[in-house]
Amino acid sequence: MERISDKDLRVIHAQLERSVDNVLGVEKRCSCGFPQVILSYPIRDGKPFPTIHYLTCPHLRRCC
C-alpha cells in the first residue's frame, strides 16, 4: 500500500465528487498515475464501514 498524499486526496475528491475522510492509502494506480483503488479505514464515525477497498476511477466505475 502506498501512503496517501494531499494531491491524491484532491484527485479522489474530484473522482468521487465528494470528500472522503477515512482513506488510508492507494492500493492501485492507473497507467496515468491516478488513484484507481483506495484502502479505507474499516471504522467510520464509530461504526463499521461496509468495505475497505474502494474503486475511485471514474472510467472503471462507468463500466461496472
Side-chain angles (χ1 to χ4, degrees):
M1 173 186 66
E2 191 178 322
R3 283 185 61 168
I4 196 80
S5 70
D6 290 337
K7 180 182 176 183
D8 289 331
L9 288 174
R10 288 191 299 273
V11 170
I12 293 165
H13 180 273
Q15 289 174 326
L16 298 176
E17 299 178 339
R18 63 179 178 81
S19 62
V20 291
D21 59 1
N22 62 333
V23 179
L24 293 175
V26 176
E27 287 286 293
K28 174 83 171 91
R29 291 185 181 273
C30 69
S31 60
C32 296
F34 295 113
Q36 208 171 33
V37 177
I38 58 172
L39 178 68
S40 299
Y41 190 70
I43 305 291
R44 185 175 180 190
D45 299 326
K47 299 175 189 165
F49 195 67
T51 185
I52 59 170
H53 291 99
Y54 209 91
L55 182 63
T56 62
C57 175
H59 302 290
L60 292 176
R61 290 175 50 224
R62 267 193 298 269
C63 293
C64 295

